[in-house]
mmCIF file of all heavy atoms in Angstrom:
data_model
loop_
_atom_site.group_PDB
_atom_site.id
_atom_site.type_symbol
_atom_site.label_atom_id
_atom_site.label_comp_id
_atom_site.label_asym_id
_atom_site.label_seq_id
_atom_site.Cartn_x
_atom_site.Cartn_y
_atom_site.Cartn_z
ATOM 1 N N MET A 1 0.847 -1.181 0.000
ATOM 2 C CA MET A 1 0.000 0.000 0.000
ATOM 3 C C MET A 1 0.893 1.245 0.000
ATOM 4 O O MET A 1 1.640 1.468 0.944
ATOM 5 C CB MET A 1 -0.909 -0.005 1.228
ATOM 6 C CG MET A 1 -1.886 1.161 1.284
ATOM 7 S SD MET A 1 -2.784 1.219 2.853
ATOM 8 C CE MET A 1 -3.655 -0.332 2.824
ATOM 9 N N PHE A 15 -5.228 41.431 5.241
ATOM 10 C CA PHE A 15 -5.232 42.876 5.465
ATOM 11 C C PHE A 15 -3.821 43.432 5.668
ATOM 12 O O PHE A 15 -3.656 44.637 5.801
ATOM 13 C CB PHE A 15 -6.117 43.210 6.662
ATOM 14 C CG PHE A 15 -7.528 42.720 6.503
ATOM 15 C CD1 PHE A 15 -7.930 41.520 7.066
ATOM 16 C CD2 PHE A 15 -8.449 43.433 5.759
ATOM 17 C CE1 PHE A 15 -9.231 41.044 6.910
ATOM 18 C CE2 PHE A 15 -9.745 42.974 5.593
ATOM 19 C CZ PHE A 15 -10.129 41.786 6.162
ATOM 20 N N TYR A 56 0.499 -0.194 10.535
ATOM 21 C CA TYR A 56 -0.091 -1.162 9.614
ATOM 22 C C TYR A 56 1.010 -1.810 8.776
ATOM 23 O O TYR A 56 1.890 -1.121 8.260
ATOM 24 C CB TYR A 56 -1.105 -0.494 8.688
ATOM 25 C CG TYR A 56 -2.352 -0.017 9.372
ATOM 26 C CD1 TYR A 56 -2.451 1.292 9.827
ATOM 27 C CD2 TYR A 56 -3.444 -0.868 9.569
ATOM 28 C CE1 TYR A 56 -3.599 1.751 10.468
ATOM 29 C CE2 TYR A 56 -4.591 -0.424 10.207
ATOM 30 C CZ TYR A 56 -4.665 0.882 10.654
ATOM 31 O OH TYR A 56 -5.794 1.323 11.289
ATOM 32 N N GLY A 63 6.963 10.644 1.077
ATOM 33 C CA GLY A 63 6.900 12.080 1.341
ATOM 34 C C GLY A 63 7.316 12.871 0.120
ATOM 35 O O GLY A 63 8.471 12.815 -0.304
ATOM 36 N N ALA A 125 -6.802 19.978 -3.642
ATOM 37 C CA ALA A 125 -7.489 18.684 -3.735
ATOM 38 C C ALA A 125 -7.939 18.397 -5.167
ATOM 39 O O ALA A 125 -7.832 17.260 -5.640
ATOM 40 C CB ALA A 125 -8.685 18.669 -2.794
ATOM 41 N N GLY A 133 -6.652 10.182 -10.008
ATOM 42 C CA GLY A 133 -7.857 9.527 -10.507
ATOM 43 C C GLY A 133 -8.928 9.374 -9.449
ATOM 44 O O GLY A 133 -8.717 9.622 -8.262
ATOM 45 N N PRO A 144 -8.748 24.310 13.070
ATOM 46 C CA PRO A 144 -10.148 24.735 13.211
ATOM 47 C C PRO A 144 -10.393 26.144 12.678
ATOM 48 O O PRO A 144 -11.527 26.488 12.339
ATOM 49 C CB PRO A 144 -10.399 24.678 14.722
ATOM 50 C CG PRO A 144 -9.038 24.830 15.329
ATOM 51 C CD PRO A 144 -8.104 24.148 14.383
ATOM 52 N N HIS A 155 -13.819 17.264 -3.984
ATOM 53 C CA HIS A 155 -12.679 16.622 -4.656
ATOM 54 C C HIS A 155 -11.991 15.584 -3.775
ATOM 55 O O HIS A 155 -11.478 14.593 -4.284
ATOM 56 C CB HIS A 155 -11.662 17.689 -5.073
ATOM 57 C CG HIS A 155 -12.245 18.786 -5.900
ATOM 58 N ND1 HIS A 155 -12.668 18.594 -7.204
ATOM 59 C CD2 HIS A 155 -12.511 20.081 -5.608
ATOM 60 C CE1 HIS A 155 -13.141 19.730 -7.683
ATOM 61 N NE2 HIS A 155 -13.067 20.642 -6.743
ATOM 62 N N MET A 158 -12.054 12.814 2.759
ATOM 63 C CA MET A 158 -12.153 12.928 4.208
ATOM 64 C C MET A 158 -11.375 14.141 4.688
ATOM 65 O O MET A 158 -10.323 14.472 4.134
ATOM 66 C CB MET A 158 -11.575 11.675 4.884
ATOM 67 C CG MET A 158 -12.413 10.421 4.677
ATOM 68 S SD MET A 158 -11.561 8.935 5.282
ATOM 69 C CE MET A 158 -10.410 8.634 3.932
ATOM 70 N N GLN A 175 -3.643 11.016 13.508
ATOM 71 C CA GLN A 175 -3.852 9.576 13.699
ATOM 72 C C GLN A 175 -5.157 9.127 13.050
ATOM 73 O O GLN A 175 -5.213 8.086 12.383
ATOM 74 C CB GLN A 175 -3.879 9.254 15.191
ATOM 75 C CG GLN A 175 -2.551 9.407 15.894
ATOM 76 C CD GLN A 175 -2.676 9.139 17.384
ATOM 77 O OE1 GLN A 175 -3.644 9.543 18.034
ATOM 78 N NE2 GLN A 175 -1.695 8.453 17.949
ATOM 79 N N THR A 184 -10.149 2.937 4.323
ATOM 80 C CA THR A 184 -10.817 3.218 3.050
ATOM 81 C C THR A 184 -10.120 2.501 1.908
ATOM 82 O O THR A 184 -10.776 1.918 1.027
ATOM 83 C CB THR A 184 -10.844 4.735 2.787
ATOM 84 O OG1 THR A 184 -11.533 5.379 3.864
ATOM 85 C CG2 THR A 184 -11.558 5.057 1.486
ATOM 86 N N HIS A 193 -20.081 12.416 3.195
ATOM 87 C CA HIS A 193 -19.909 13.658 3.931
ATOM 88 C C HIS A 193 -20.966 14.682 3.554
ATOM 89 O O HIS A 193 -21.598 14.620 2.506
ATOM 90 C CB HIS A 193 -18.516 14.239 3.690
ATOM 91 C CG HIS A 193 -18.057 14.138 2.264
ATOM 92 N ND1 HIS A 193 -18.504 14.971 1.260
ATOM 93 C CD2 HIS A 193 -17.188 13.268 1.683
ATOM 94 C CE1 HIS A 193 -17.929 14.629 0.124
ATOM 95 N NE2 HIS A 193 -17.142 13.605 0.338
ATOM 96 N N TRP A 214 -17.867 28.334 22.492
ATOM 97 C CA TRP A 214 -17.132 27.361 21.679
ATOM 98 C C TRP A 214 -17.027 26.013 22.373
ATOM 99 O O TRP A 214 -17.048 24.961 21.704
ATOM 100 C CB TRP A 214 -15.753 27.930 21.335
ATOM 101 C CG TRP A 214 -15.910 29.207 20.578
ATOM 102 C CD1 TRP A 214 -15.860 30.465 21.088
ATOM 103 C CD2 TRP A 214 -16.258 29.335 19.200
ATOM 104 N NE1 TRP A 214 -16.125 31.379 20.110
ATOM 105 C CE2 TRP A 214 -16.377 30.715 18.932
ATOM 106 C CE3 TRP A 214 -16.468 28.439 18.167
ATOM 107 C CZ2 TRP A 214 -16.693 31.214 17.684
ATOM 108 C CZ3 TRP A 214 -16.787 28.930 16.912
ATOM 109 C CH2 TRP A 214 -16.896 30.297 16.678
ATOM 110 N N VAL A 231 -18.227 8.154 12.814
ATOM 111 C CA VAL A 231 -18.746 9.484 12.495
ATOM 112 C C VAL A 231 -17.750 10.510 13.031
ATOM 113 O O VAL A 231 -17.316 10.423 14.178
ATOM 114 C CB VAL A 231 -20.140 9.714 13.107
ATOM 115 C CG1 VAL A 231 -20.516 11.193 13.040
ATOM 116 C CG2 VAL A 231 -21.178 8.889 12.377
ATOM 117 N N VAL A 235 -15.870 21.125 13.303
ATOM 118 C CA VAL A 235 -16.425 22.467 13.509
ATOM 119 C C VAL A 235 -15.336 23.461 13.110
ATOM 120 O O VAL A 235 -14.346 23.634 13.827
ATOM 121 C CB VAL A 235 -16.854 22.697 14.967
ATOM 122 C CG1 VAL A 235 -17.429 24.107 15.120
ATOM 123 C CG2 VAL A 235 -17.868 21.652 15.410
ATOM 124 N N SER A 242 -8.940 36.527 6.968
ATOM 125 C CA SER A 242 -8.800 36.233 5.541
ATOM 126 C C SER A 242 -10.070 36.684 4.829
ATOM 127 O O SER A 242 -11.150 36.135 5.061
ATOM 128 C CB SER A 242 -8.588 34.728 5.306
ATOM 129 O OG SER A 242 -7.292 34.334 5.696
#
Side-chain angles (χ1 to χ4, degrees):
M1 183 187 298
F15 303 97
Y56 292 94
H155 306 290
M158 291 171 281
Q175 291 177 320
T184 301
H193 41 77
W214 300 97
V231 167
V235 180
S242 287

